[in-house]
């Protein structure tokens, strides 16, 4: 059957519960994209072991990450939602592509340098070559588009380079993927250091909101958010804290900055911070309730994982067989 919709691939590591920045900046868009595109979404667990993991904890996190995707609205009937290690063809294609990737290309990857500095006791080969696995993730599905943030642009560029190089040597094999830049993706900053992106590794636990934080925790963290001394709710340069809160409020309510400024004209920061906390808590409540239901139903999760893995395998098998033939392997 001819492909009628453009295909999107995106993956998320299972090593942490997504924070509000992940959710509003990327995951909300995953849900919206399902009607317009053929979407493939993966829990990329193979990537997570470049850093040492506790096996039992990792297993739990993979399960929870997958359940959370479903709770957020990823529809396993509309999209291919699967766990990366359930499809062995990612690793197989990664080996072939590593033979079409230059050592110098990998040594220039900024994330390799950053992670090597953070984990000097474990600078392993997987940490060095995982951008090739990331390229295999994308190219195996012949993805037209890949949603990317600034920190992933370099990896997508490498995937494009590998695809182009392979196509030049062996003829038309891979679609060369383009970045998908969401029209409405909130850039969420730390509540305590609003000049930096929100991160789970923030030294101050009040800087980050987990998607699974309870209502009281969410409101408390917003009440403690850093603002400024001007006491005017307006979006402009030099007001990083208020700008961040307005961006979050806008992303959750669909209100423009102008509308927010009018709504809170003459009101204090305390009232505004409470309002942002409440709308975020209200917004996340249905996701949290759905997550609690799904995570308690092991049979349903296993069934969805199995169905997703079968769909993923079927799609990538065509690509891998084509690649194997092109390089000269005997395909039975």
């Amino acid at each position: 059957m001819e492909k009628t919709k453009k295909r999107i691939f995106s993956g998320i590591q299972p090593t942490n519960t997504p924070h509000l920045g992940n959710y509003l900046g990327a995951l909300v868009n995953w849900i919206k994209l399902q009607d317009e595109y053929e979407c493939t979404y993966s829990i990329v667990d193979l990537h997570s072991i470049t850093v040492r993991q506790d096996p039992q904890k990792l297993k739990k996190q993979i399960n929870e990450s997958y359940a959370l995707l479903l709770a957020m609205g990823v529809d396993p009937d509309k999209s291919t939602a699967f766990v990366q290690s359930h499809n062995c063809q990612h690793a197989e294609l990664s080996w072939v592509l590593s033979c079409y990737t230059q050592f110098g290309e990998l040594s220039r990857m900024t994330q390799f340098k950053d992670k090597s500095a953070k984990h000097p006791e474990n600078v392993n080969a997987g940490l060095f070559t995982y951008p090739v696995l990331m390229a295999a993730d994308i190219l195996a599905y012949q993805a037209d588009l890949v949603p990317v943030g600034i920190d992933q642009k370099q990896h997508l560029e490498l995937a494009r380079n590998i695809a182009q190089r392979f196509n030049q040597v062996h003829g038309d094999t891979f679609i060369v993927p383009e970045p998908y830049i969401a029209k409405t993706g909130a850039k969420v900053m730390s509540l305590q250091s609003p000049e930096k992106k929100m991160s789970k590794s923030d030294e101050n636990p009040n800087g980050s909101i987990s998607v699974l934080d309870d209502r009281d925790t969410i409101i408390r963290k917003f009440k403690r958010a850093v603002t400024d001394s001007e006491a005017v709710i307006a979006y402009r340069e030099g007001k990083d804290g208020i700008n961040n809160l307005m961006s979050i409020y806008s992303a959750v309510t669909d209100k423009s900055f102008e509308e927010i400024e009018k709504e809170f004209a003459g009101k204090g920061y305390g009232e505004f911070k409470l309002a942002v906390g409440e709308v975020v808590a209200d917004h996340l409540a249905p996701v949290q309730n759905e997550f609690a239901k799904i995570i308690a139903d092991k049979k349903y999760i296993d069934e969805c994982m199995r169905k997703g893995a079968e769909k993923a395998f079927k799609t990538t098998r065509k690509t891998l067989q084509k690649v194997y033939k092109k390089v000269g392997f005997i395909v039975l």
Side-chain angles (χ1 to χ4, degrees):
M1 197 172 81
E2 196 179 333
K3 193 172 75 167
T4 54
K5 290 181 176 179
K6 286 195 171 184
R7 186 174 288 154
I8 277 184
F9 177 91
S10 201
I12 187 169
Q13 286 205 37
T15 44
N16 269 317
T17 303
H19 57 63
L20 190 65
N22 304 137
Y23 178 69
L24 295 178
L27 296 173
V28 163
N29 286 310
W30 284 22
I31 314 312
K32 293 175 184 172
L33 294 171
Q34 292 180 109
D35 292 324
E36 197 178 337
Y37 298 95
E38 188 182 319
C39 296
T40 301
Y41 296 137
S42 181
I43 303 298
V44 288
D45 54 343
L46 294 176
H47 288 289
S48 63
I49 62 168
T50 58
V51 176
R52 289 281 175 269
Q53 303 289 339
D54 175 300
Q56 289 308 312
K57 189 180 173 191
L58 180 60
K59 188 177 178 181
K60 182 173 180 282
Q61 287 172 323
I62 292 166
N63 231 28
E64 289 180 352
S65 298
Y66 189 82
L68 196 50
L69 275 194
L70 301 183
M72 286 175 181
V74 169
D75 184 339
D77 292 320
K78 272 187 190 173
S79 303
T80 301
F82 73 106
V83 176
Q84 184 190 28
S85 61
H86 292 168
N87 184 0
C88 60
Q89 292 174 128
H90 287 244
E92 290 181 53
L93 182 59
S94 179
W95 168 250
V96 177
L97 297 184
S98 69
C99 299
Y100 290 79
T101 308
Q102 300 303 300
F103 183 89
E105 288 176 306
L106 293 177
S107 63
R108 287 192 291 273
M109 291 285 131
T110 54
Q111 285 206 11
F112 171 69
K113 294 172 188 172
D114 293 346
K115 287 193 176 181
S116 299
K118 279 183 187 172
H119 303 278
E121 77 293 345
N122 183 28
V123 184
N124 57 72
L127 191 62
F128 187 68
T129 60
Y130 88 96
V132 184
L133 177 58
M134 195 177 284
D137 296 338
I138 297 163
L139 300 180
Y141 295 90
Q142 300 290 2
D144 301 286
L145 299 163
V146 182
V148 286
I150 293 166
D151 55 343
Q152 295 299 333
K153 267 187 166 177
Q154 196 182 25
H155 288 140
L156 180 59
E157 202 50 50
L158 178 68
R160 287 171 53 82
N161 291 345
I162 294 169
Q164 287 163 342
R165 187 176 297 133
F166 193 96
N167 288 350
Q168 282 166 2
V169 174
H170 296 291
D172 190 25
T173 309
F174 293 113
I175 288 173
V176 179
E178 297 285 343
Y180 175 86
I181 310 298
K183 295 180 187 74
T184 55
K187 189 179 179 186
V188 179
M189 314 305 278
S190 165
L191 299 182
Q192 292 298 312
S193 306
E195 70 284 354
K196 291 188 228 165
K197 275 176 72 176
M198 185 174 283
S199 168
K200 287 294 284 185
S201 57
D202 197 323
E203 288 175 15
N204 188 332
N206 290 312
S208 174
I209 302 282
S210 166
V211 170
L212 295 179
D213 275 345
D214 63 55
R215 185 179 186 83
D216 289 346
T217 301
I218 291 169
I219 289 172
R220 186 180 71 249
K221 286 181 179 180
F222 273 107
K223 280 182 175 177
R224 293 176 179 173
V226 168
T227 50
D228 55 60
S229 57
E230 199 181 33
V232 175
I233 296 155
Y235 193 97
R236 55 175 179 253
E237 199 176 336
K239 293 174 70 68
D240 292 347
I242 288 296
N243 292 350
N244 186 37
L245 293 175
M246 288 180 70
S247 294
I248 293 168
Y249 194 81
S250 172
V252 172
T253 63
D254 285 329
K255 291 180 180 177
S256 68
F257 292 148
E258 280 181 359
E259 287 172 318
I260 296 166
E261 285 174 14
K262 282 179 189 171
E263 185 181 347
F264 291 95
K267 293 179 182 175
Y269 283 171
E271 194 173 342
F272 180 51
K273 289 196 280 188
L274 175 62
V276 181
E278 286 179 338
V279 295
V280 169
D282 289 345
H283 185 78
L284 293 178
V287 173
Q288 294 173 352
N289 293 338
E290 189 64 18
F291 172 78
K293 271 193 269 181
I294 292 170
I295 201 67
D297 191 346
K298 187 178 184 303
K299 189 180 173 187
Y300 175 69
I301 293 173
D302 289 350
E303 185 186 307
C304 289
M305 280 186 179
R306 196 170 290 110
K307 184 161 64 172
E310 285 168 2
K311 283 166 76 176
F313 188 90
K314 192 177 173 185
T315 302
T316 55
R317 183 159 180 75
K318 292 173 192 169
T319 301
L320 194 66
Q321 285 187 325
K322 188 195 276 191
V323 167
Y324 275 12
K325 283 176 185 172
K326 291 280 179 95
V327 299
F329 295 161
I330 294 167
V331 177
L332 298 176

